[in-house]
C-alpha cells in the first residue's frame, strides 16, 4: 500500500509543482483587484486581457420569460502570462442588470469559450448567452475580476 500511495503522491506532486501550467484560479488575479473597462475595450488584468466585442439580442427556439430577451455576448480573452493557463470556466462570467445577477444559458448553438489550457500569447473567443430584462438601467458584465460596463444603448436589439 505504501508503494501505491508513494506513486500517487509523486504523480500529484508533478501536476501541482508544474511551473509551465497554471490554473486560472491560481493566477495573480486573485488579489481582489478589480479591473474596469467598457465594451470593445481591452481590459488588462495582469495574467490575462479580456474584451467584450458585442452584446446583442438573439433569436432562440426557446421562449424567454415575459419581459425578458436572450442576448449573446462575444468575448475575446488573451493569455498575457508566461504560463499555460485555463482562461475560462462557466463561473468566471456573470451578467448583472440593475443589481441582479441574470441567468446563463448553455443550450444555444453558439461557439462557447474554450476551457482548454492556452499557451502564453494565445487568445480564445466565444459566446455566453444570458436572459436579461427588455429594459435596463445598468449592465455590468463580470469576467473573473474584470468588470465591463455596458451602456444599455449598446445592446443590439433585433427588429421585430
Amino acid at each position: 500500500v505504501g508503494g501505491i500511495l508513494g506513486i500517487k503522491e509523486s504523480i500529484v506532486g508533478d501536476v501541482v509543482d508544474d511551473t509551465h501550467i497554471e490554473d486560472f484560479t491560481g493566477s495573480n488575479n486573485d488579489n481582489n483587484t478589480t479591473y474596469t473597462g467598457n465594451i470593445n475595450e481591452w481590459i488588462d488584468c495582469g495574467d490575462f486581457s479580456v474584451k467584450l466585442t458585442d452584446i446583442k439580442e438573439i433569436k432562440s427556439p426557446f421562449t424567454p420569460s415575459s419581459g425578458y430577451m436572450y442576448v449573446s455576448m462575444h468575448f475575446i480573452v488573451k493569455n498575457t502570462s508566461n504560463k499555460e493557463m485555463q482562461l475560462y470556466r462557466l463561473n468566471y462570467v456573470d451578467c448583472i442588470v440593475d443589481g441582479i445577477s441574470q441567468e446563463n444559458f448553455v443550450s444555444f448553438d453558439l461557439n462557447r469559450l474554450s476551457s482548454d489550457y492556452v499557451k502564453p500569447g494565445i487568445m480564445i473567443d466565444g459566446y455566453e448567452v444570458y436572459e436579461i430584462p427588455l429594459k435596463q438601467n445598468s449592465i455590468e458584465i463580470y469576467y473573473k475580476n474584470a468588470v465591463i460596463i455596458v451602456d444599455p444603448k449598446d445592446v443590439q436589439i433585433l427588429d421585430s
Side-chain angles (χ1 to χ4, degrees):
V1 175
I4 294 173
L5 287 177
I7 292 171
K8 181 178 179 184
E9 288 172 4
S10 173
I11 292 171
V12 171
D14 289 345
V15 173
V16 171
D17 294 336
D18 190 335
T19 58
H20 301 293
I21 297 177
E22 187 166 328
D23 185 343
F24 196 45
T25 59
S27 71
N28 295 333
N29 299 310
D30 291 332
N31 59 10
N32 295 324
T33 301
T34 301
Y35 303 91
T36 305
N38 298 301
I39 192 168
N40 248 336
E41 284 181 0
W42 281 103
I43 302 173
D44 182 359
C45 299
D47 287 345
F48 74 100
S49 293
V50 61
K51 178 164 63 168
L52 173 67
T53 63
D54 63 46
I55 176 170
K56 59 186 170 187
E57 182 181 13
I58 58 173
K59 291 187 179 195
S60 164
F62 308 103
T63 303
S65 302
S66 179
Y68 284 74
M69 65 179 159
Y70 293 117
V71 294
S72 69
M73 302 174 195
H74 180 252
F75 292 93
I76 303 172
V77 187
K78 182 177 184 178
N79 180 353
T80 56
S81 77
N82 61 358
K83 298 181 180 186
E84 194 168 340
M85 292 176 51
Q86 186 179 28
L87 295 176
Y88 172 76
R89 288 189 184 166
L90 184 59
N91 64 343
Y92 289 167
V93 182
D94 197 7
C95 175
I96 309 294
V97 176
D98 298 333
I100 301 170
S101 181
Q102 304 300 306
E103 187 170 356
N104 182 286
F105 284 85
V106 296
S107 57
F108 287 84
D109 190 24
L110 293 170
N111 179 39
R112 300 284 315 251
L113 286 160
S114 171
S115 60
D116 292 341
Y117 282 85
V118 178
K119 293 181 181 196
I122 301 298
M123 293 185 275
I124 61 172
D125 79 309
Y127 293 87
E128 289 293 311
V129 175
Y130 281 85
E131 182 180 46
I132 70 169
L134 291 169
K135 296 180 181 181
Q136 322 90 21
N137 292 313
S138 68
I139 303 171
E140 295 176 344
I141 309 300
Y142 288 77
Y143 193 100
K144 188 119 168 74
N145 59 331
V147 181
I148 304 161
I149 308 301
V150 178
D151 186 320
K153 294 181 289 192
D154 289 333
V155 178
Q156 301 168 31
I157 304 298
L158 293 172
D159 293 329
S160 299

